Amino acid sequence: MTQSKIDLVTAQIRAVPDFPKPGILFRDITPLLGHPDAFRAGIELFTEAVRDLRVETVVAIESRGFLFGAPLALALGASLVPVRKPGKLPHKKRRVEYALEYGTDALEMHDDAIAPGARTLIVDDVIATGGTAKAAAELVKQAGGEPVGYGFFIELSFLEGRAKLAPLPVRAVLTY
Ligand code: AMP
């Protein structure tokens, strides 16, 4: 059952060489989005992978994280909080900056988005180095939530991003 779902999902992830830069093998999830049976199976797998964490809030990272975070939050009965690139959120917010390979980037979250102490899962489509997810967890802490784990649809294990997120549990549906 689970294996057949994994096969269904895996068949809809497209590997695109040299995007967005030479040497990067990009894992493209758009075929999955276009295949309702596979997308549903993927969200079911994702839900089961994180269910034991008993999360109250799902924090989804712009922008592909939204595509997984929203159905996952509904399936778990959790609240959904978007973490966005600077300048997009209208209300009072806080910001965290984080290092990229070259330079820095930043994420923002509404100040009142998370209930005090809420058990929170940070969600994105792909974990590469883990820097983006780690920054999102920092925002959760600053806002008074409790990060209890990370969920990714795809883990690029050779980049060892998981180590950056320790000791919190890291769950992934597919691993390359
Ligand atoms: P990182 O902060 O290094 O973990 O990067 C994570 C972000 O980069 C995620 O939001 C991914 O969407 C994106 N990303 C990085 N590498 C890839 C890849 N090979 N394929 C698809 N998305 C990627």
Side-chain angles (χ1 to χ4, degrees):
M1 182 68 173
T2 298
Q3 189 56 47
S4 65
K5 283 186 188 175
I6 292 172
D7 293 345
L8 188 61
V9 166
T10 304
Q12 300 303 326
I13 305 296
R14 177 162 50 201
V16 183
D18 299 319
F19 182 88
K21 296 193 277 198
I24 305 284
L25 183 61
F26 190 84
R27 300 292 174 174
D28 176 18
I29 54 136
T30 62
L32 182 76
L33 303 177
H35 193 305
D37 290 341
F39 190 29
R40 186 180 302 105
I43 296 301
E44 286 167 2
L45 289 168
F46 208 160
T47 306
E48 292 321 309
V50 301
R51 194 184 287 287
D52 66 301
L53 299 175
R54 296 179 291 108
V55 303
E56 301 166 279
T57 297
V58 168
V59 160
I61 302 173
E62 181 168 0
S63 56
R64 288 187 300 272
F66 296 170
L67 299 167
F68 294 97
L72 185 64
L74 283 177
L76 292 169
S79 64
L80 175 66
V81 174
V83 159
R84 302 211 61 181
K85 303 281 167 62
K88 305 276 191 181
L89 289 170
H91 189 56
K92 195 168 171 237
K93 61 213 162 198
R94 56 185 72 233
R95 173 185 295 205
V96 161
E97 296 197 351
Y98 59 102
L100 297 176
E101 194 179 354
Y102 301 105
T104 63
D105 212 338
L107 291 173
E108 292 182 346
M109 189 174 75
H110 276 154
D111 241 356
D112 61 357
I114 301 191
R119 296 176 60 83
T120 302
L121 180 77
I122 291 101
V123 170
D124 205 352
D125 65 331
V126 172
I127 175 174
T129 66
T132 310
K134 179 113 185 156
E138 185 54 40
L139 275 176
V140 170
K141 279 189 235 164
Q142 286 187 17
E146 185 194 351
V148 294
Y150 297 87
F152 304 97
F153 200 73
I154 294 169
E155 177 181 10
L156 305 178
S157 59
F158 54 93
L159 293 172
E160 296 176 356
R162 186 180 276 269
K164 191 177 279 174
L165 305 181
L168 291 186
V170 174
R171 306 285 166 74
V173 175
L174 302 179
T175 302
Y176 294 98

